[in-house]
Amino acid sequence: MKKILKFLKYGLLAILGILIVAFLVIYIKMALASSSNFDLLGEEATSSTQNGISYRDLNKNGKLDVYENPRASLEERANDLVSQMTLEEKAGSMFVNMIGTTPDGEPMEKPVFSTDLMTLIMSFMLPSNSEMIAQKKMNSFNILTSIDADLLAKYNNSIQKMAERTRLGIPITIASDPRHGTENNPGASLYTPAFSQWPSSLGLAATRDTVLVREFADIARQEYTAVGIRLALHPMADLATEPRWGRSNGTFGEDAHLSAMMTKAYVLGFQGDSLDQNGVACMTKHFSGGGPQEDGEDAHFPYGKNQVYPGNNFDYHVIPFTEGAFEANTAQIMPYYGIPIGQTNEDVAFGFNKDIITTLLRDSLNFKGVVCTDWNIITDSRMGEGRAWGVENLTPKERVKKVIDAGCDQFGGESIPELIVELVNDGTISEERLNISVKRIMLDKFRLGLFDNPYVDEKEAAQIAGKEAFREKGKIAQGKSMVLLKNDGLLPLKKGTKIYAEGMLTSEVINTNGTLVDSPQDADVILKKIRTPFEPRDEYFLESFFNQGRLYYSDEEKKELLELINQKPSIVVANLERAAILTEIDKASSALFGEFGTSDEVLMDVLFGKVNPSGKLPFELPSSWEAVENQKEDVPYDSKDPLYPFGHGLSYK
């Protein structure tokens, strides 16, 4: 036994030693590469005045170029800039990849040991900031870090200074997935405590309040611009007509016209009536509607590559774009990963599909803005497999050509501009075709004022982001989003009610109005918070971040829950990421709520009647798993005998 323990001890020490050596090798290699990348950069731009016009001499030639002139038209500035760009600079501009910061807001250049898993992964897996900016000549990035507002602002200023030192000084566009909810999913949303907290998009839809949604987006705009984020990789105008879909949480529900109203208000709040230096551009997704996933399986993964239309309802999924996003003049559009089976001339994914991007989006709907693919559809990356659904047989270079031929302008989640350079040099793609896309990308940078001033005030960022007035508005929205599904006269609770609670993050808030007790036997009521059930999966990297599969509780989960709530009058509060099956729970409870990201503090205000619940379901709640399996993926509210229909919601008065 002693020999075995000794062997294990030295074996573990050997493995640790190998890991340390590997880390040092990677660290030294990246440090040397970073130094080499910085050597490619030139001088910083100077501020000058010519003919009474103040400008930044971005190309350092000592004169006022048209693209540097804030008084020239956007069209003139973009044309001049594109005419000065090299092929390599144009190719680099056509890529948006994820980018990392250190915990103290510095550009991530070398591996970082961190207790934050995402920071650790990014530091080892992503190219360095300098490699993408100086070497690959990229100028659009998707930031994944959730650090304090002043540190986010510091990071923006650091990489903008790096970009200023490139040949033409093209500024960086920093993009982000949603940051104002409570979900943390690097494939969809990022929990950012520095910002105000709001309900999910489903919760915003539950309020039925477009004025509130525009107000939310305007507040989010202020928080984004304060730290330098100028491109929102949202909203999702997809429809949750398939209740099993793991991304339902990012949508405005299953009704196309409700989604259109919410999408329009959302985009207007971020962009304003017209996009300018005060706005945040929206990349509305996922055209032409990513909701009808076959069997509800998400298209991030090979088993979810198909979108199906058994109800012949393709056009219904386009409505949130035509009546919502486009009416609000969304700056950009993102297609999804899936293949719209049987809807176009070839069964290939949206980003490769010319019938979708050119024939429908460009020609029929006359969309003139940037179209950017969803992330990582060309190559297998260090963080996951490529998602080239329908064109798996093509080489990465052939896939890039097909995306450009389809009509897309930019590639998400990739850093391979060299393939575009090869395609042009081969004569396969013309440089004139690149000019069209690059001009669209640059026009948005000019609209946002990035060429004139991409920097932010680090102290002011901390004062704006998450300020109390914004947080209070978020709490109001949380209260309005609560959906009272059932009330047998138990609610609102009376002050002093004895409550036994499970699932609360901060049970102390109960004592503000009631009395927290330690056992169900001592309670007047039982309060139980539950999550939407799902099927745990771990075959692919991102699977752990997407709750997919079953909507029913397992026998073990259900037994434990029912045994608790059958002891006393009970209030069950279900966090609805998707349309959970609550039939037996509904029968056993005295009161039932659906919520979409509500703090315990706001929940208590609702339970004790300080806030009157007014939310309405943004999707129906099916009564059984059989009903879910028999409904059609592309048709809204079509399950048999739903427990609660779309639009259901009670109040106290």
Side-chain angles (χ1 to χ4, degrees):
M1 188 65 172
K2 287 183 179 180
K3 288 183 178 180
I4 294 173
L5 290 174
K6 187 176 181 180
F7 175 78
L8 289 173
K9 175 184 175 181
Y10 286 111
L12 289 172
L13 287 173
I15 292 171
L16 180 61
I18 292 170
L19 290 174
I20 291 172
V21 170
F23 173 80
L24 289 172
V25 169
I26 295 171
Y27 186 93
I28 293 169
K29 182 179 178 182
M30 290 186 71
L32 291 172
S34 176
S35 177
S36 176
N37 292 333
F38 274 95
D39 288 341
L40 298 173
L41 298 173
E43 298 297 316
E44 295 178 6
T46 57
S47 295
S48 302
T49 301
Q50 183 174 314
N51 299 325
I53 300 172
S54 297
Y55 70 99
R56 299 167 66 223
D57 186 16
L58 294 170
N59 62 4
K60 301 93 180 167
N61 66 356
K63 67 177 184 178
L64 175 62
D65 289 84
V66 175
Y67 86 91
E68 299 166 342
N69 185 353
R71 297 187 188 176
S73 71
L74 299 179
E75 193 79 10
E76 291 170 330
R77 297 181 77 177
N79 286 336
D80 180 58
L81 175 63
V82 173
S83 73
Q84 294 193 42
M85 294 173 72
T86 65
L87 171 59
E88 289 75 16
E89 288 164 343
K90 292 172 185 176
S93 298
M94 293 176 68
F95 289 85
V96 188
N97 205 350
M98 295 170 288
I99 201 166
T101 81
T102 66
D104 60 354
E106 294 291 341
M108 193 172 282
E109 292 295 303
K110 299 177 282 291
V112 176
F113 271 123
S114 172
T115 55
D116 178 65
L117 178 61
M118 189 47 58
T119 299
L120 182 65
I121 291 172
M122 286 190 299
S123 72
F124 276 92
M125 300 301 182
L126 294 177
S128 69
N129 286 223
S130 63
E131 178 184 344
M132 290 191 280
I133 293 171
Q135 195 178 112
K136 293 183 177 288
K137 307 187 189 311
M138 295 169 60
N139 48 61
S140 296
F141 299 103
N142 169 204
I143 187 171
L144 294 180
T145 313
S146 294
I147 50 181
D148 290 342
D150 58 337
L151 297 178
L152 283 169
K154 173 186 175 183
Y155 174 72
N156 170 79
N157 292 344
S158 296
I159 63 167
Q160 295 294 0
K161 187 61 68 177
M162 196 187 299
E164 189 180 284
R165 293 173 56 192
T166 60
R167 190 179 72 89
L168 295 174
I170 297 172
I172 303 296
T173 302
I174 296 182
S176 177
D177 282 307
R179 289 177 174 265
H180 286 81
T182 56
E183 185 183 11
N184 196 38
N185 178 349
S189 61
L190 299 158
Y191 176 56
T192 307
F195 291 167
S196 55
Q197 301 300 305
W198 296 70
S200 69
S201 291
L202 286 173
L204 293 176
T207 70
R208 299 298 199 270
D209 189 341
T210 55
V211 174
L212 177 65
V213 171
R214 181 162 181 171
E215 190 172 14
F216 151 72
D218 181 60
I219 287 173
R221 173 194 65 80
Q222 294 175 64
E223 293 182 314
Y224 273 19
T225 56
V227 302
I229 297 171
R230 303 305 301 277
L231 175 61
L233 302 177
H234 43 98
M236 280 178 64
D238 308 288
L239 298 176
T241 54
E242 169 47 66
R244 292 167 288 187
W245 186 35
R247 297 198 68 182
S248 296
N249 198 40
T251 75
F252 294 115
E254 64 182 323
D255 182 86
H257 300 287
L258 173 62
S259 177
M261 290 166 50
M262 296 290 141
T263 299
K264 181 177 179 180
Y266 193 108
V267 173
L268 287 172
F270 271 100
Q271 295 190 173
D273 293 325
S274 61
L275 188 63
D276 60 19
Q277 72 274 9
N278 298 311
V280 171
C282 282
M283 186 184 290
T284 304
K285 55 192 185 186
H286 302 85
F287 192 82
S288 57
Q293 296 293 138
E294 186 174 33
D295 297 328
E297 301 291 4
D298 187 69
H300 271 84
F301 312 106
Y303 52 72
K305 67 176 67 175
N306 292 342
Q307 282 191 204
V308 293
Y309 302 86
N312 196 29
N313 218 19
F314 177 92
D315 291 345
Y316 186 76
H317 290 261
V318 183
I319 290 172
F321 295 91
T322 56
E323 295 183 6
F326 298 153
E327 288 206 4
N329 296 314
T330 186
Q332 304 190 10
I333 284 289
M334 180 193 294
Y336 204 37
Y337 296 115
I339 302 170
I341 298 296
Q343 305 302 305
T344 58
N345 287 324
E346 56 176 344
D347 281 341
V348 296
F350 290 105
F352 301 99
N353 199 314
K354 191 170 185 177
D355 284 351
I356 295 293
I357 306 301
T358 294
T359 305
L360 178 58
L361 180 59
R362 296 287 193 204
D363 296 343
S364 179
L365 299 177
N366 199 34
F367 181 70
K368 303 294 186 184
V370 173
V371 177
C372 178
T373 74
D374 211 328
W375 268 222
N376 193 216
I377 69 169
I378 303 298
T379 62
D380 293 344
S381 76
R382 299 172 194 170
M383 291 185 71
E385 298 183 349
R387 304 176 184 98
W389 310 143
V391 295
E392 293 92 340
N393 60 314
L394 299 183
T395 66
K397 184 175 172 181
E398 290 169 334
R399 293 171 189 173
V400 168
K401 179 183 184 302
K402 192 165 183 65
V403 167
I404 294 172
D405 286 343
C408 295
D409 303 302
Q410 228 170 1
F411 296 82
E414 306 277 1
S415 306
I416 47 172
E418 60 274 11
L419 294 187
I420 290 182
V421 173
E422 289 179 20
L423 286 166
V424 174
N425 288 336
D426 291 348
T428 311
I429 295 285
S430 71
E431 193 165 349
E432 289 71 27
R433 168 64 186 87
L434 301 191
N435 292 345
I436 294 171
S437 289
V438 174
K439 181 179 176 181
R440 289 183 183 129
I441 294 162
M442 295 302 149
L443 275 170
D444 277 344
K445 291 180 186 283
F446 283 115
R447 290 186 182 103
L448 293 167
L450 292 173
F451 280 90
D452 302 320
N453 182 19
Y455 299 103
V456 297
D457 187 316
E458 294 169 28
K459 290 182 179 178
E460 191 177 70
Q463 295 168 0
I464 293 174
K467 69 181 182 179
E468 190 58 31
F470 293 170
R471 293 190 184 277
E472 287 302 314
K473 286 288 185 181
K475 291 176 184 177
I476 291 171
Q478 290 174 32
K480 289 195 70 171
S481 71
M482 292 279 293
V483 180
L484 179 58
L485 298 168
K486 174 186 178 182
N487 183 20
D488 285 349
L490 182 62
L491 298 173
L493 297 176
K494 293 180 173 61
K495 192 171 180 64
T497 299
K498 296 177 183 177
I499 301 173
Y500 172 77
E502 286 187 3
M504 304 283 285
L505 293 174
T506 52
S507 297
E508 308 82 58
V509 299
I510 293 173
N511 287 324
T512 305
N513 295 287
T515 303
L516 180 65
V517 297
D518 295 328
S519 71
Q521 291 74 28
D522 297 329
D524 298 319
V525 299
I526 292 169
L527 171 60
K528 176 68 174 177
K529 290 183 72 175
I530 59 176
R531 301 293 302 269
T532 305
F534 65 96
E535 177 185 313
R537 299 173 181 177
D538 59 7
E539 183 179 355
Y540 300 97
F541 173 74
L542 286 176
E543 274 186 312
S544 61
F545 296 101
F546 287 86
N547 294 340
Q548 304 184 90
R550 63 180 171 89
L551 293 169
Y552 57 87
Y553 295 91
S554 68
D555 290 340
E556 184 179 344
E557 291 168 335
K558 197 160 47 181
K559 180 176 182 291
E560 180 182 348
L561 178 57
L562 293 175
E563 283 180 354
L564 172 66
I565 66 176
N566 277 320
Q567 295 181 54
K568 290 283 178 74
S570 298
I571 306 163
V572 176
V573 181
N575 176 264
L576 297 176
E577 296 180 320
R578 299 180 295 153
I581 297 171
L582 303 171
T583 306
E584 292 175 76
I585 296 165
D586 177 69
K587 289 177 183 176
S589 63
S590 300
L592 179 63
F593 274 101
E595 62 96 4
F596 306 93
T598 302
S599 70
D600 291 346
E601 176 190 353
V602 173
L603 173 59
M604 287 299 107
D605 286 343
V606 173
L607 294 184
F608 281 91
K610 290 184 178 180
V611 174
N612 185 26
S614 59
K616 306 296 180 186
L617 278 176
F619 45 45
E620 67 178 9
L621 292 181
S623 57
S624 69
W625 184 240
E626 181 183 9
V628 169
E629 292 181 310
N630 289 334
Q631 54 86 52
K632 296 177 179 178
E633 288 93 336
D634 60 328
V635 178
Y637 26 80
D638 68 327
S639 71
K640 184 178 180 181
D641 299 324
L643 177 64
Y644 291 110
F646 167 83
H648 175 78
L650 308 174
S651 64
Y652 298 151
K653 301 173 184 176

